[in-house]
Amino acid sequence: MSRIKTCFDRLKKEGRGALLPYLEAFDPDRETSLALLRQMPEAGADLIEVGVPFSDPSADGPTIQLAARRGLKAGATLKGTLELIQDFRRENDHTPIILMGYYNPIDSYGVERFCKDARSAGVDGLIVVDLPPEESEELAPHARAEGLDMITLTAPTTPDDRLKTILRKASGFVYHVSITGITGTRSATEEQLKAAMTRLRAATDLPVVAGFGISTPEQARTASRISDGAVVASAIIKEMAATYDEHGHATARSIPTALEKIRSLARAVRS
Amino acid sequence: MPVNKPITSQLNSLRTGPDERGHFGIHGGRFVAETLMPLMLELEKAYNHVKTDPQFQEELDYYLRHYVGRPSPLWHARRLSETLGGAQIYLKREELNHTGSHKLNNVMGQILLARRMGKTRIVAETGAGQHGVATATVCALFGLDCEIYMGATDVERQKPNVFRMHLLGAKVHPVTAGAGTLKDAMNEAMRDWVANVENTYFLVGTVAGPHPYPAMVRDFQSVIGTEAREQIQEQTGRLPDAVIAAIGGGSNAMGIFHPFLDDADVPLYGVEAAGLGLDSGKTAASIARGRPGVLHGNRTYLLQDEHGQITEAHSISAGLDYPGIGPEHSWLKDIGRVNYVSATDDQALDAFQTLTRLEGIIPALESAHAVAHAIVMASTMTRDQTIIVNLSGRGDKDVPTVAAHLGVKL
């Protein structure tokens, strides 16, 4: 059974939703991001999203844009990100890792080789922001062949009939973008999320997690109860970035700050 | 007798693309986030509807004629041609359109579509500011809210256009991400759109982006080539021996090329901005120095590094300063129908001055790249041959840039 399925099955038994913190690879350097990645499960991460820095993150807000820029400056590549995950897997074999990014670096790497390398590095799922179901057949067969889940994104703008069509091919879990907008900006209301979940439950039996605009423990608790999990990205990165020195380098406070944020989110999700 | 080949009834026409999913060969497509995907489908449906709606076409024709000022003349540049001593150069005078460039052709079409779709707020990206000015203009005309995203570097080098947009009532947002040029403005406009999908229409200025934009913008710009094809036959009795246009995203080029695509004997030349030189690392020539990749909603030739990170483009002309190109151009390159060449910053500056001196026409720096290639080509051709150059914009906005490069303090 896949790590993703095992994880959601276990959480279902525990009767709670998942916490999915996000980490931008190589932000602000390889060593720091690897150290943080390794400590995230202990701090309460149920699944981890690892962002692949891209030069033109057009679906992201300022916080992740800056993180991507720092990551690139530190030498991040798709290959380097896979190696980071491979290093993480030496010590952790159970926490699912979802690779999140834009399509061009994957296209440039070569889709078939990428899926093979991602699998052997220990990646479990892929979220490719700018690869909608209409274009995903370039990648999906190779991902399936390697047992990687292609995580389907849904949005408030997705009509019901389209939800049914695109979720038919979904695997792993569904990522609901809970607002119309970019990452780390506005938040969905409880009512909006509830309404979205009603539509989604009618279209799929897969676990559904909510993301975009979830920053506080309260919001994470609410989102993880209404849905099956809460993704938190910008809020963690923002607090961590505030500890960097004037050159944008990590300080002794950086990792503890990020971990404390994750712990506070995890407590809320588990309470 | 004009050589009038049938252009619509050919079985192997090059003018029928893209396919129903927006692909031109391996290029094009709809690589957008799910939030935008339903909007792309809605836009495609709305566009397909108006394309065959005679009332829409009538309305568009009315505005093109009485507001934009079409048709634009085809000018025989006699002094330039005589000086070069080769082919006769004809200029398609798109710079005479209202707002000073070809941009209004497309903007007028899309704004009428946006109104039909009930959108009240318009966002657009702009490089040199020509598309921004054109968009701000129609928003003023129809009383719509207008938000323009423009790279901070471009805001600095195109001050006159920024002020024009302010005067027209638009809000100009300088974008500081990246190098602060067109690519970054495009990212930011997409971010605005995704956050305001309810009431907002994204008015794309070039033949790039997710389907149906490349096809739609091309269709609205094809009026250039349709007119030029008739005008050259009226004036010379035959089709031209070359058609030349500058390429950033490629809308003026696609507009003039498209009606000629099935005229197999008419060579077409797209002129990319070589910047400081193709191998200088400071270039905007995405076909000459790029490879296919995915950015801003489509697959196309892109300037990128070995890891698939998009690299910064460079051109003296803000309108050509883009690391990609429209997907239909990429396809026309792959099948060999269009010759893609380039002109450097210096060649464009020379052409800018030459055309100004010899014809009394100050071209936009973008268009000066096309003129530069015409200057190279004309002298290798005979006096009875003809070249059409798409003079896509006027150069008033570039006067400060040119002065600075010539060491003149204004």
Side-chain angles (χ1 to χ4, degrees):
Chain A
M1 199 191 289
S2 78
R3 290 188 194 98
I4 292 175
K5 180 145 182 22
T6 309
C7 176
F8 279 105
D9 285 353
R10 176 174 58 80
L11 293 176
K12 199 170 185 182
K13 273 183 208 139
E14 288 178 29
R16 68 172 177 93
L19 175 65
L20 298 88
Y22 174 103
L23 166 143
E24 187 83 8
F26 287 62
D27 173 26
D29 59 77
R30 184 182 197 275
E31 204 185 325
T32 305
S33 62
L34 178 59
L36 176 58
L37 183 58
R38 282 181 166 149
Q39 295 174 69
M40 278 169 115
E42 210 191 327
D46 297 305
L47 303 87
I48 301 171
E49 279 188 23
V50 176
V52 184
F54 181 50
S55 53
D56 294 79
S58 57
D60 285 301
T63 303
I64 295 183
Q65 288 176 44
L66 288 173
R69 209 191 295 177
R70 286 189 299 265
L72 289 173
K73 213 172 145 198
T77 60
L78 182 54
K79 184 165 176 282
T81 305
L82 293 180
E83 286 163 2
L84 193 78
I85 293 164
Q86 197 157 24
D87 283 352
F88 166 82
R89 277 279 172 250
R90 287 183 221 285
E91 296 178 5
N92 179 311
D93 194 38
H94 67 276
T95 308
I97 296 278
I98 320 300
L99 206 64
M100 183 160 188
Y102 293 80
Y103 189 46
N104 198 54
I106 296 173
D107 187 50
S108 176
Y109 196 103
V111 285
E112 196 172 348
R113 187 166 71 93
F114 164 73
C115 290
K116 283 198 167 73
D117 291 357
R119 178 62 177 177
S120 66
V123 172
D124 301 288
L126 304 174
I127 300 178
V128 189
V129 180
D130 54 351
L131 197 68
E134 278 77 0
E135 303 288 351
S136 71
E137 277 311 300
E138 302 192 359
L139 179 62
H142 303 291
R144 269 194 299 271
E146 296 297 330
L148 297 167
D149 286 318
M150 285 278 288
I151 308 304
T152 302
L153 295 164
T154 59
T157 49
T158 314
D160 286 341
D161 53 343
R162 178 174 169 81
L163 271 185
K164 290 216 170 69
T165 325
I166 66 178
L167 292 178
R168 210 170 290 149
K169 287 192 281 183
S171 70
F173 62 91
V174 175
Y175 186 132
H176 180 63
V177 175
S178 59
I179 51 145
T180 55
I182 52 179
T183 53
T185 51
R186 64 175 91 143
S187 308
T189 64
E190 209 174 317
E191 289 67 38
Q192 285 170 330
L193 193 54
K194 276 182 180 153
M197 286 311 300
T198 308
R199 298 202 301 132
L200 284 156
R201 297 283 190 221
T204 183
D205 295 328
L206 288 172
V208 179
V209 307
F212 282 48
I214 300 173
S215 56
T216 67
E218 273 59 49
Q219 287 169 331
R221 172 167 38 212
T222 307
S224 70
R225 282 181 186 171
I226 299 172
S227 73
D228 302 308
V231 179
V232 184
S234 298
I236 300 170
I237 293 175
K238 203 171 184 172
E239 291 193 16
M240 183 163 159
T243 68
Y244 297 161
D245 68 16
E246 69 271 28
H247 306 294
H249 296 150
T251 62
R253 285 169 45 233
S254 300
I255 293 174
T257 300
L259 291 174
E260 188 38 53
K261 176 74 182 177
I262 294 167
R263 274 187 211 105
S264 70
L265 294 162
R267 276 195 298 271
V269 167
R270 288 156 202 250
S271 67
Chain B
M1 276 291 287
V3 185
N4 230 333
K5 295 185 182 176
I7 56 170
T8 49
S9 58
Q10 294 187 2
L11 282 174
N12 296 314
S13 174
L14 298 177
R15 306 177 70 232
T16 55
D19 68 17
E20 72 283 359
R21 291 165 57 222
H23 293 115
F24 298 94
I26 64 160
H27 303 284
R30 280 178 292 220
F31 295 86
V32 294
E34 175 59 23
T35 314
L36 293 179
M37 197 60 208
L39 277 86
M40 299 318 308
L41 298 170
E42 184 197 336
L43 177 62
E44 185 189 7
K45 210 170 139 195
Y47 178 58
N48 282 339
H49 179 73
V50 299
K51 222 167 33 175
T52 53
D53 176 358
Q55 256 186 331
F56 180 85
Q57 291 306 326
E58 211 170 281
E59 193 184 6
L60 179 57
D61 288 346
Y62 171 85
Y63 284 102
L64 288 179
R65 183 178 162 86
H66 299 287
Y67 191 77
V68 181
R70 301 209 70 88
S72 70
L74 183 73
W75 169 247
H76 183 189
R78 285 195 180 80
R79 282 198 76 206
L80 177 65
S81 308
E82 273 164 29
T83 305
L84 297 169
Q88 302 305 307
I89 296 174
Y90 289 78
L91 305 174
K92 180 59 176 165
R93 304 285 308 276
E94 289 300 302
E95 99 283 8
L96 292 177
N97 291 332
H98 180 39
T99 76
S101 81
H102 70 292
K103 290 293 186 187
L104 201 54
N105 302 327
N106 162 50
V107 164
M108 192 53 86
Q110 286 197 58
I111 203 77
L112 296 179
L113 177 59
R115 293 179 80 213
R116 289 204 172 196
M117 294 175 76
K119 305 291 183 182
T120 55
R121 181 176 176 273
I122 306 297
V123 296
E125 84 296 346
T126 195
Q130 295 301 86
H131 175 57
V133 166
T135 303
T137 297
V138 295
C139 287
L141 177 65
F142 293 113
L144 300 168
D145 291 337
C146 183
E147 313 272 341
I148 303 293
Y149 290 88
M150 187 169 183
T153 307
D154 291 340
V155 166
E156 198 47 44
R157 59 178 164 174
Q158 300 289 344
K159 281 181 189 159
N161 270 346
V162 175
F163 187 59
R164 284 165 85 191
M165 288 185 268
H166 283 307
L167 286 173
L168 290 160
K171 186 151 186 238
V172 181
H173 304 268
V175 180
T176 52
T181 58
L182 183 52
K183 155 176 103 92
D184 312 297
M186 187 83 173
N187 289 331
E188 208 55 35
M190 286 176 82
R191 292 181 186 119
D192 179 312
W193 190 29
V194 87
N196 298 287
V197 289
E198 286 295 307
N199 64 347
T200 299
Y201 182 92
F202 183 18
L203 209 159
V204 172
T206 193
V207 287
H211 178 63
Y213 284 109
M216 176 168 67
V217 176
R218 173 204 68 202
D219 291 347
F220 287 137
Q221 290 293 2
S222 288
V223 64
I224 305 172
T226 304
E227 286 176 9
R229 195 172 177 280
E230 275 174 27
Q231 289 165 322
I232 193 78
Q233 292 182 86
E234 273 166 27
Q235 293 185 32
T236 70
R238 58 190 195 84
L239 289 170
D241 298 292
V243 177
I244 304 177
I247 297 191
S251 72
N252 89 77
M254 226 33 256
I256 197 162
F257 290 168
H258 197 253
F260 288 101
L261 285 181
D262 288 335
D263 297 320
D265 300 335
V266 179
L268 308 173
Y269 295 86
V271 187
E272 296 193 289
L276 301 184
L278 286 180
D279 296 312
S280 64
K282 295 245 171 215
T283 181
S286 17
I287 283 194
R289 286 297 175 268
R291 59 189 170 90
V294 173
L295 179 72
H296 295 155
N298 59 170
R299 174 173 279 119
T300 193
Y301 281 89
L302 295 173
L303 295 175
Q304 53 180 317
D305 69 13
E306 56 175 317
H307 303 292
Q309 304 292 344
I310 311 304
T311 52
E312 300 292 347
H314 165 84
S315 168
I316 187 173
S317 143
L320 305 183
D321 207 343
Y322 182 69
I325 184 171
E328 192 166 8
H329 284 295
S330 293
W331 172 68
L332 290 168
K333 146 78 183 169
D334 287 353
I335 64 168
R337 174 62 185 96
V338 176
N339 307 290
Y340 291 90
V341 295
S342 64
T344 62
D345 288 354
D346 285 345
Q347 284 177 296
L349 273 170
D350 285 348
F352 178 97
Q353 296 168 80
T354 303
L355 191 70
T356 303
R357 283 287 181 82
L358 292 177
E359 296 291 334
I361 296 170
I362 304 180
L365 277 173
E366 290 77 15
S367 323
H369 286 74
V371 176
H373 190 69
I375 290 173
V376 172
M377 270 190 77
S379 49
T380 69
M381 295 165 71
T382 59
R383 284 167 191 275
D384 58 346
Q385 289 187 298
T386 59
I387 297 175
I388 300 178
V389 175
N390 196 7
L391 204 71
S392 55
R394 56 189 287 166
D396 305 53
K397 68 181 176 63
D398 295 314
V399 167
T401 304
V402 173
H405 276 270
L406 299 178
V408 177
K409 216 168 175 183
L410 294 182

